[in-house]
Structures are given as structure tokens and as C-alpha cells.
């Protein structure tokens, strides 16, 4: 705990404190060109009594106040489904933001650690949200790069604050910019390989008339595939009905079928999928995450004619992993990058030891530009 007696840790309880918790990072990073805010309306939902994760999680929210001014915030989460899956007793920390002051960080993490002990937990890890659908990982490289809408930006000194509180690396993710190969023959070769794999295993591309038709046809199937394909990945939890509905609602707003690839086998089972999203980063920066009329116009423009596409969900049925199916995903992404106006794709988070996904990007011109870290501390 901090020795600075002026620092008061408050549990967020009132409407004013909830608003302060949400708006503190918006003030901190207001003039930072790399910071991309989350949708404010979505963030407010963490305080709703019917929040989608309330059935599997217990959460607490803290503010650090000194001399009447907010100087930091943090949230602690017991992800019961994750602990049941792994047999561990962990608390996740998330939404950590602080001024550059070790005493403030110590007070915030002290509150999280006290919460963990009180609830019979023995380990704190993060930044991890309620699930891997949320922002996760502490940025430790790439501070001069524009954040994606899906991931959180933080200042460089955060790493020093975590180190000072006794937290150590557990895993790293890396992020890359993906461009079309400079050699046109590489594109043709990948398309040829994709066609070969499709024919060899009796696969076909899933078609749909529109987004509504796509979700009706394939919604249940891609959640089943995601649960299987992501089961062994760090921090993942099974999809609940509430999580599925939330994702489907979001998909209806931002999916464009030209940024989606679904591969079916002869039994009409989804064995591979790739879902990308238009980058909303710049569209939401000016409004601080609020969907004002002007921001909505920018969002619709970004959806219709994106300059950057974010790789959202890529999954392959484990039974097909060693059959060259990744070539189909790569070929599909190449086609997306050939759409008018698209400059590059952002991979978002890939675990550094996930060699299968790392080798996937070798088919492209790629630049690793960011690294994020999840920390751990045993109590």
C-alpha cells in the first residue's frame, strides 16, 4: 500500500463517482493523437444491474483521489468462469489509469490486492477484462502508433508503475500492420493454394444475401467454432448467451460482408472464419467516444469506405489446422486489402508464442509495431 496519507481510495458507488471513473482517462489523453476512446455508451454498461457479465463475474471499481482531485482509477474482476476453467483463484485488474506517480499506483493495486484476499483469491493478473472481447494488455511498445478501437492506449510510464508494484510478465501479445505482398505473383499463388485446399477437402465459401441473413445462417456456428478454436488461448472464457447477443448486436452495426470469410465443409459446418471490421479509431477520437451526430457520420463513412481494417476474429477448427486451411484465410484477407481505399490491416493482439498465426503474416508485407503485456503477481 502507499505511504502517502493524502491518497484516498474510493469504491465507486455514486452516479458522480461512476461518471468520474469513466471520464478520467478521457481527460488524461484528450490531446494525445494515439489514444482512441471506447464507446462511452458501452462503457457505462459496466455499472448496469443487468450488465452482460454479471452472471459470471464479480467486479469492484476504485478511484484514487488526492487533495480533492482524481489521480487514478482501476477495476478488479473475479472471472468465475475463467477460474472454474483453469482451477485457479485469480483476480483480474483492468481499466487501470494513473498519473505518473508510484504512490498512486501502489494505492490502487493495494486496493485490488485487498479485494482479492478478502474474496479468497491468491493471484492478481492483467490488464484483462471480463472476457477477451474487451480491451486487454498493457502497451509496452508502440506509443507513437494510433491505437485501434478494440484496444486500449496507455502512457509509457505505466510499465514502470507496474514494475514498482511487484508485477511481472506473464504473456505478451504483438500487433502488426499487414499490407498486400509487393509481388503480384505471391497474391496469385496464394489464391491458387486456397483453391487447391478448398477442392481437396470439399470446402466452400458460405454465402449470404446481407448481414442479417449472414447472422441468421452462421451465428450459432461461428460461436461454436470460436469456443473450440480459442479454448486453450490465454484469458479466454466460453461464450454465454448474453455475450453472443452482445456480439451479434455489434456485428449488425459494423460488419460489411466484403470483410467476412466463412468456410463450410460438406456437412455445412463452419471450419474456418475470418471477420474484420472497418477501423473506427479516427471516427471516434474527436467526440471522445460519444456518438454525436457528427461522430455518427464519420463512423458510417468509415464503415462504407475504410482506409484501415481491423482483424477481429480469426478461427480454424483444430481438425483442419494442419491441412492448409490458413491459406484460405490469407487469400481472403488479400482480397479485402485489394478493395478500393484500404491501405492496410491491423492484426490486433496475437500471442507471441502463437507460431501458427505469426507464420500466417509472413505471406504479407508486415510491420510489427506494437507489443502488449499481461502481468501477474502472487499474493
Amino acid at each position: 500500500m502507499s505511504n502517502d496519507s493524502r491518497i484516498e481510495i474510493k469504491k465507486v458507488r455514486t452516479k458522480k463517482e461512476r461518471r468520474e471513473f469513466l471520464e478520467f482517462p478521457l481527460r488524461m489523453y484528450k490531446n494525445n493523437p494515439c489514444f482512441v476512446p471506447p464507446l462511452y455508451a458501452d462503457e457505462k454498461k459496466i455499472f448496469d444491474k443487468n450488465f452482460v457479465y454479471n452472471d459470471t463475474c464479480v467486479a469492484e471499481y476504485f478511484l484514487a483521489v488526492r487533495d480533492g482531485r482524481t489521480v487514478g482509477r482501476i477495476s478488479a474482476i473475479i472471472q468465475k468462469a475463467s477460474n472454474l476453467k483453469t482451477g485457479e483463484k485469480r483476480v483480474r485488474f483492468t481499466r487501470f489509469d494513473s498519473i505518473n506517480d508510484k504512490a498512486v499506483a501502489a494505492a490502487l493495486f493495494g486496493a485490488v490486492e485487498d479485494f482479492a484476499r478478502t474474496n479468497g483469491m491468491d493471484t492478481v493478473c492483467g490488464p484483462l477484462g471480463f472476457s477477451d472481447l474487451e480491451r486487454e494488455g498493457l502497451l509496452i511498445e508502440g506509443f507513437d502508433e494510433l491505437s485501434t478501437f478494440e484496444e486500449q492506449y496507455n502512457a509509457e510510464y505505466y510499465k514502470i508503475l507496474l514494475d514498482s508494484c511487484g508485477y511481472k510478465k506473464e504473456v505478451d501479445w504483438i500487433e502488426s500492420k499487414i499490407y498486400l505482398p509487393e509481388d503480384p505473383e505471391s497474391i496469385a499463388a496464394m489464391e491458387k493454394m486456397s483453391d487447391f485446399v478448398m477442392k481437396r477437402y470439399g470446402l466452400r465459401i458460405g454465402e449470404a444475401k446481407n448481414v442479417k441473413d449472414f447472422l441468421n445462417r452462421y451465428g450459432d456456428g461461428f460461436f461454436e467454432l470460436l469456443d473450440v478454436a480459442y479454448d486453450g488461448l490465454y484469458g479466454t472464457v466460453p461464450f454465454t448467451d448474453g455475450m453472443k447477443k452482445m456480439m451479434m448486436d455489434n456485428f449488425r452495426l459494423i460488419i460489411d460482408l466484403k470483410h467476412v470469410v466463412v468456410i463450410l465443409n460438406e456437412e455445412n459446418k463452419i471450419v474456418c472464419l475470418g471477420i474484420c471490421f472497418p477501423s473506427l479509431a479516427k471516427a471516434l477520437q474527436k467526440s471522445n467516444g460519444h456518438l454525436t451526430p457528427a461522430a455518427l457520420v464519420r463512423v458510417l463513412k468509415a464503415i462504407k469506405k475504410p482506409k484501415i481494417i481491423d482483424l477481429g476474429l480469426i478461427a480454424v477448427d483444430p481438425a483442419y489446422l494442419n491441412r492448409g486451411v490458413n491459406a484460405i484465410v490469407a487469400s481472403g484477407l488479400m482480397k479485402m486489402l485489394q478493395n478500393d481505399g484500404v491501405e492496410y490491416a491491423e492484426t490486433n493482439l496475437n500471442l507471441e508464442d502463437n507460431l501458427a498465426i505469426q507464420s500466417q503474416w509472413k505471406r504479407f508485407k508486415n510491420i510489427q509495431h506494437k507489443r502488449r503485456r499481461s502481468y501477474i503477481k502472487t499474493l
Side-chain angles (χ1 to χ4, degrees), residues 234-267:
Y234 178 80
T236 58
V237 294
F239 286 94
T240 63
D241 289 341
M243 290 167 64
K244 293 176 184 178
K245 182 181 184 304
M246 177 180 67
M247 285 186 68
M248 296 281 270
D249 290 343
N250 291 339
F251 285 171
R252 287 186 178 92
L253 296 175
I254 61 175
I255 272 188
D256 188 320
L257 291 185
K258 65 186 178 184
H259 298 143
V260 174
V261 178
V262 172
I263 307 300
L264 310 173
N265 65 11
E266 293 173 330
E267 288 77 40

Side-chain angles (χ1 to χ4, degrees), residues 102-171:
K102 292 180 181 179
V104 172
L108 288 167
F109 280 99
V112 171
E113 291 160 17
D114 286 345
F115 171 84
R117 294 186 185 96
T118 298
N119 286 277
M121 302 292 110
D122 57 23
T123 305
V124 177
C125 63
L128 290 172
F130 294 94
S131 77
D132 61 312
L133 300 180
E134 287 211 309
R135 297 178 170 197
E136 55 190 354
L138 192 85
L139 187 67
I140 59 171
E141 293 176 10
F143 301 100
D144 58 349
E145 296 283 350
L146 177 68
S147 186
T148 63
F149 171 68
E150 295 83 5
E151 300 303 336
Q152 184 64 27
Y153 181 85
N154 60 260
E156 190 169 0
Y157 63 78
Y158 279 36
K159 180 182 182 300
I160 298 173
L161 297 183
L162 266 291
D163 291 342
S164 71
C165 292
Y167 285 78
K168 307 295 182 183
K169 170 185 172 179
E170 183 165 34
V171 300

Side-chain angles (χ1 to χ4, degrees), residues 21-253:
F21 185 90
L22 298 174
E23 296 181 356
F24 174 68
L26 303 182
R27 294 198 304 269
M28 275 190 66
Y29 293 105
K30 184 176 181 179
N31 297 315
N32 189 307
C34 298
F35 173 76
V36 176
L39 274 176
Y40 192 86
D42 282 350
E43 278 293 277
K44 283 178 65 176
K45 293 176 183 177
I46 63 176
F47 296 117
D48 288 351
K49 64 179 182 180
N50 296 321
F51 183 47
V52 67
Y53 291 106
N54 283 349
D55 57 344
T56 59
C57 299
V58 177
E60 189 66 89
Y61 305 90
F62 303 97
L63 290 171
V65 179
R66 183 165 58 195
D67 300 329
R69 183 172 67 92
T70 301
V71 289
R73 70 164 194 170
I74 200 167
S75 174
I77 299 170
I78 299 175
Q79 218 315 343
K80 293 181 286 186
S82 178
N83 283 344
L84 181 63
K85 173 183 172 181
T86 62
E88 297 172 312
K89 296 180 179 180
R90 291 191 172 205
V91 163
R92 300 176 170 197
F93 75 86
T94 184
R95 293 171 173 82
F96 166 63
D97 289 289
S98 172
I99 64 171
N100 190 4
D101 189 314
K102 292 180 181 179
V104 172
L108 288 167
F109 280 99
V112 171
E113 291 160 17
D114 286 345
F115 171 84
R117 294 186 185 96
T118 298
N119 286 277
M121 302 292 110
D122 57 23
T123 305
V124 177
C125 63
L128 290 172
F130 294 94
S131 77
D132 61 312
L133 300 180
E134 287 211 309
R135 297 178 170 197
E136 55 190 354
L138 192 85
L139 187 67
I140 59 171
E141 293 176 10
F143 301 100
D144 58 349
E145 296 283 350
L146 177 68
S147 186
T148 63
F149 171 68
E150 295 83 5
E151 300 303 336
Q152 184 64 27
Y153 181 85
N154 60 260
E156 190 169 0
Y157 63 78
Y158 279 36
K159 180 182 182 300
I160 298 173
L161 297 183
L162 266 291
D163 291 342
S164 71
C165 292
Y167 285 78
K168 307 295 182 183
K169 170 185 172 179
E170 183 165 34
V171 300
D172 274 10
W173 296 271
I174 59 176
E175 301 176 56
S176 301
K177 292 180 180 179
I178 304 297
Y179 300 83
L180 275 173
E182 295 178 343
D183 179 8
E185 293 183 2
S186 298
I187 301 175
M190 186 53 56
E191 187 171 344
K192 185 177 180 180
M193 173 64 76
S194 173
D195 290 342
F196 171 78
V197 173
M198 296 272 280
K199 291 176 183 178
R200 181 174 184 180
Y201 296 107
L203 306 178
R204 62 184 177 84
I205 295 176
E207 298 180 349
K209 298 176 183 178
N210 50 47
V211 172
K212 181 179 179 181
D213 184 39
F214 170 81
L215 294 175
N216 287 338
R217 288 191 189 201
Y218 307 119
D220 290 339
F222 67 63
F223 283 119
E224 290 175 8
L225 175 59
L226 290 172
D227 269 338
V228 172
Y230 288 8
D231 180 61
L233 297 183
Y234 178 80
T236 58
V237 294
F239 286 94
T240 63
D241 289 341
M243 290 167 64
K244 293 176 184 178
K245 182 181 184 304
M246 177 180 67
M247 285 186 68
M248 296 281 270
D249 290 343
N250 291 339
F251 285 171
R252 287 186 178 92
L253 296 175

